Amino acid sequence: MSLGRTGQRQPPVEPVTLKILVAGGFGVGKTTLVGAVSEIRPLRTEELLSEAGRPIDDLQGVERKVTTTVAMDFGRITLREDLVLYLFGTPGQDRFWFLWDELAQGALGAVVLADTRRLEDCFAAVDYFERRGIPFMMAVNCFEGATRYPADMVRQALDLDEEVPVVLCDARKRESAKTVLISLVEHAMTKASQAREPAAT
């Protein structure tokens, strides 16, 4: 509880809570980003990759990956005293995409993570959010050993609209992940504000 200008105690601020999705291809770093930025111990639904899944799961470029998200990752971050984000990491494999519609309900927007070594893996996520009119941004996870391309080249390769933010990040680092989330919130708020403006006559 804080003191107002009159010296009287003010009630604590009730924070606004927003739902954010973290999407992208298999092994792109969604679980890592949620874990790096969450202020609580993240909820993870990871399972070991099995031999049965090898014919289905494309491990090219992520050969050392031994687990996969089968439902979602969940974390929370307080950006300001009055603003809390709930983070939902989506499963990256095709066979779990039936969960996306449930996770997307009520979401303010989405971060689509990309790996420049497997850029085509994020096409499905981009298409999903474009079709549903959910604001999203592209965050290129800069893996060690991967070629780094300017944001504009990534935008052209993915044929993204100019208004869609594209940023480079390191999903392992809290401040980098936090910058991504702030960029998404600002983008989504701008889109919401534009949608409320009356059409010009």
Side-chain angles (χ1 to χ4, degrees):
M1 193 171 283
S2 59
L3 294 176
R5 291 184 178 179
T6 61
Q8 295 179 338
R9 290 191 177 275
Q10 301 295 316
V13 175
E14 187 68 29
V16 173
T17 58
L18 302 174
K19 181 180 183 181
I20 300 294
L21 299 185
V22 180
F26 176 58
V28 79
K30 300 180 294 294
T31 298
T32 300
L33 186 143
V34 172
V37 80
S38 180
E39 63 197 18
I40 62 172
R41 184 177 179 180
L43 168 66
R44 293 176 174 165
T45 56
E46 289 199 312
E47 297 290 342
L48 289 172
L49 290 170
S50 65
E51 286 299 320
R54 286 191 179 277
I56 305 171
D57 302 327
D58 182 7
L59 297 179
Q60 185 174 356
V62 288
E63 292 83 359
R64 291 185 292 179
K65 186 170 175 61
V66 296
T67 62
T68 184
T69 299
V70 296
M72 66 173 184
D73 299 310
F74 173 75
R76 184 187 74 202
I77 177 174
T78 302
L79 289 184
R80 300 191 312 250
E81 180 185 7
D82 60 345
L83 181 59
V84 175
L85 303 185
Y86 289 118
L87 311 176
F88 292 82
T90 65
Q93 295 159 285
D94 296 7
R95 65 183 187 274
F96 297 126
W97 281 357
F98 66 91
L99 295 167
W100 282 40
D101 288 341
E102 192 73 27
L103 292 173
Q105 289 186 18
L108 174 77
V111 173
V112 178
L113 269 178
D115 178 352
T116 56
R117 299 169 299 180
R118 299 176 292 120
L119 201 56
E120 66 279 1
D121 287 1
C122 69
F123 288 163
V126 170
D127 289 343
Y128 181 90
F129 297 120
E130 284 183 339
R131 285 198 311 269
R132 285 159 180 77
I134 298 174
F136 71 95
M137 65 166 294
M138 183 65 55
V140 180
N141 194 6
C142 298
F143 286 88
E144 292 180 12
T147 304
R148 298 195 179 191
Y149 298 96
D152 285 343
M153 284 187 74
V154 175
R155 182 189 305 280
Q156 290 176 2
L158 294 172
D159 193 26
L160 298 174
D161 292 339
E162 283 295 323
E163 65 179 16
V164 177
V166 179
V167 300
L168 307 183
C169 73
D170 185 336
R172 301 167 300 178
K173 297 182 178 178
R174 177 179 172 81
E175 286 306 312
S176 182
K178 187 175 178 181
T179 298
V180 168
L181 296 174
I182 291 171
S183 179
L184 172 64
V185 170
E186 290 174 345
H187 172 59
M189 292 298 192
T190 298
K191 293 276 287 184
S193 177
Q194 291 171 346
R196 288 194 297 267
E197 290 176 359
T201 56

